[in-house]
Amino acid sequence: MRRTVFNEDHEAFRETLRAFIEAEVVPVYDDWFAAGQAPREFYYKLGELGIFGINVPEEFGGAGLDSHKFEAVLYEETARAGVQFGGSGVHVLLALPYIKMLATDEQKKRYLPKFVTGEEMWAIAMTEPGTGSDLAGMKSTAKLSEDGTHYVLNGAKTFITGGVHADKVIVCARTAAPTPEDRRHGISLFAVDTKSEGYSVGRKLDKLGLRTSDTAELAFVDVKVPVEDLLGEENKGFSYLGHNLASERWGIAFGAYAQAKAAVRFAKSYVQDRTVFGKPVAHFQNTKFELAACQAEVDAAEAVADRATEALDAGELTPAEAASAKLFCTEVAHRVIDRCLQLHGGYGYMNEYPIARLYADNRVNRIYGGTSEIMKTIIAKDMGL
């Protein structure tokens, strides 16, 4: 079926992005992979390309659009090329919605111009050692100083994507103790400058996949955060965190679908070139059946991902619908990528082939943004079960 989710502007952006990837990313991607991160200078190039400003209001240097479809094109094109843009996805998909939703006009004037250019890269720090998905159990604290000019931040965070290169981090911390009636009470959000005294980056974590994104541990020891950098209202942070989960889960769902689509492309190319027993692997019936089954699943995931994209842009994507899209697309990607790797044989296990990297990159999709089990719980609750 003909897709209707993208228009001429999106396709023009796709052409520009594809050329950029071929010229600026593919030739050096092996170096990024070996280093375990993209170079900081690369983010300036993304800023120049306009990637960071698509959804930023024009008054702050952005394009002023209110759509996730350009992000969707980015997911498809990076997956198609078998590359990633380091930790920059967090900058746009996770951090920007909080700035737009919570920042005052004065804060936006300080934050967004440098956000657009890549001069200041943002990350978000929620997860703590030992808490995992239980954000209400966080221990980091931010206590208001006696003179009321700043908060004193103490604690630790882990699994922070973009944490090595970040210039600003949205940190979730307790400004009040939880109540017996509400464990979620007392969490606030802060825009923390990573150059602050007492702020430190710990280990750059050695991940199974997503090797070019810098994921780190962070620590805060008596970090002074000016009251002017409180995002939103004090003690209401947990409700803010829930507000953006639908868009986050849409991003994971669409990215997973794009990876599955790329996997079929990689496998098709490989089996047409690879010869065994005197003929191309593509000539065997099993190969044809496997790829046909994978293509059917990708077609279904594409329809789900596109529908979720339209709903998100219309402001109608519900938490249950986002959970359903994430569950379906990530499970499809898991099955399809595994089967496409199998068609590569032993070469599919080698990191020099994009299918091997894709296999490792894809695994986290069923974990972060809420595990598949949590998605099922959300969907079941919406069903009245």
Side-chain angles (χ1 to χ4, degrees):
M1 294 187 294
R2 184 176 64 88
R3 297 178 81 184
T4 58
V5 69
F6 299 124
N7 62 28
E8 292 180 358
D9 290 338
H10 302 123
E11 296 306 331
F13 175 68
R14 185 188 303 278
E15 291 182 12
T16 299
L17 186 60
R18 187 174 295 183
F20 173 82
I21 291 172
E22 289 299 322
E24 300 288 345
V25 182
V26 171
V28 294
Y29 196 71
D30 286 345
D31 296 335
W32 296 5
F33 189 85
Q37 61 185 28
R40 178 64 178 84
E41 298 75 26
F42 174 67
Y43 299 138
Y44 293 112
K45 294 182 180 181
L46 292 181
E48 292 173 2
L49 191 64
I51 296 293
F52 297 149
I54 292 172
N55 292 323
V56 173
E58 292 182 49
E59 62 187 294
F60 303 115
L65 302 179
D66 189 19
S67 172
H68 287 78
K69 292 181 180 180
F70 291 94
E71 292 173 51
V73 172
L74 191 149
Y75 284 127
E76 289 187 334
E77 289 305 307
T78 51
R80 178 185 181 277
V83 302
Q84 291 185 341
F85 284 176
S88 63
V90 169
H91 183 69
V92 174
L93 183 62
L94 299 189
L96 181 58
Y98 289 104
I99 300 172
K100 292 175 66 176
M101 177 177 69
L102 301 175
T104 64
D105 289 341
E106 184 276 331
Q107 287 175 323
K108 289 176 181 177
K109 290 177 182 177
R110 285 194 287 124
Y111 300 154
L112 289 176
K114 293 181 180 180
F115 180 101
V116 170
T117 62
E119 185 178 347
E120 286 187 350
M121 293 300 296
W122 287 65
I124 184 164
M126 301 183 196
T127 305
E128 296 185 358
T131 62
S133 298
D134 181 20
L135 295 179
M138 70 175 61
K139 305 297 184 184
S140 295
T141 61
K143 296 182 179 180
L144 188 63
S145 63
E146 292 185 2
D147 61 7
T149 62
H150 63 272
Y151 291 85
V152 180
L153 175 65
N154 284 281
K157 301 289 182 178
T158 192
F159 305 143
I160 310 307
T161 301
V164 174
H165 285 321
D167 302 287
K168 296 278 191 182
V169 178
I170 298 174
V171 177
C172 311
R174 285 204 164 277
T175 44
T179 66
E181 299 79 19
D182 187 4
R183 294 178 62 241
R184 302 172 178 180
H185 172 75
I187 294 172
S188 300
L189 306 185
F190 301 89
V192 179
D193 191 323
T194 62
K195 296 185 293 295
S196 302
E197 185 178 353
Y199 180 104
S200 63
V201 177
R203 292 187 302 149
K204 182 170 74 68
L205 300 176
D206 185 17
K207 305 187 301 295
L208 170 67
L210 304 178
R211 302 287 297 184
T212 63
S213 69
D214 50 306
T215 302
E217 296 173 330
L218 307 179
F220 322 109
V221 180
D222 293 334
V223 176
K224 292 182 179 180
V225 183
V227 293
E228 293 81 9
D229 287 323
L230 171 69
L231 287 173
E233 294 184 43
E234 195 178 79
N235 300 329
K236 292 188 177 181
F238 199 94
S239 65
Y240 300 146
L241 296 176
H243 184 84
N244 288 320
L245 281 175
S247 62
E248 178 183 352
R249 287 167 180 164
W250 164 82
I252 297 170
F254 204 99
Y257 140 70
Q259 289 176 326
K261 182 177 181 178
V264 173
R265 176 175 178 268
F266 296 145
K268 179 182 175 182
S269 176
Y270 179 82
V271 299
Q272 288 175 328
D273 293 338
R274 173 70 168 166
T275 299
V276 295
F277 304 117
K279 55 184 174 181
V281 175
H283 283 204
F284 293 92
Q285 186 182 64
N286 178 69
T287 304
K288 297 176 182 180
F289 281 7
E290 282 293 281
L291 282 178
C294 287
Q295 183 62 53
E297 289 216 74
V298 168
D299 288 344
E302 181 179 88
V304 170
D306 286 355
R307 185 181 70 175
T309 303
E310 296 285 17
L312 182 62
D313 271 13
E316 299 172 354
L317 185 65
T318 68
E321 289 169 343
S324 179
K326 180 181 184 297
L327 176 66
F328 183 77
C329 291
T330 57
E331 293 292 340
V332 164
H334 162 63
R335 293 191 296 271
V336 167
I337 294 170
D338 183 77
R339 293 166 82 172
C340 288
L341 186 150
Q342 188 73 14
L343 288 172
H344 282 71
Y347 289 104
Y349 206 64
M350 301 295 112
N351 274 327
E352 64 187 276
Y353 283 81
I355 192 68
R357 299 180 183 184
L358 196 59
Y359 183 86
D361 291 347
N362 170 74
R363 185 59 185 88
V364 76
N365 289 332
R366 291 181 288 149
I367 298 173
Y368 65 5
T371 64
S372 290
E373 291 72 26
I374 289 177
M375 298 304 99
K376 292 174 184 177
T377 300
I378 294 170
I379 296 165
K381 184 178 181 180
D382 186 67
M383 294 171 64
L385 299 175

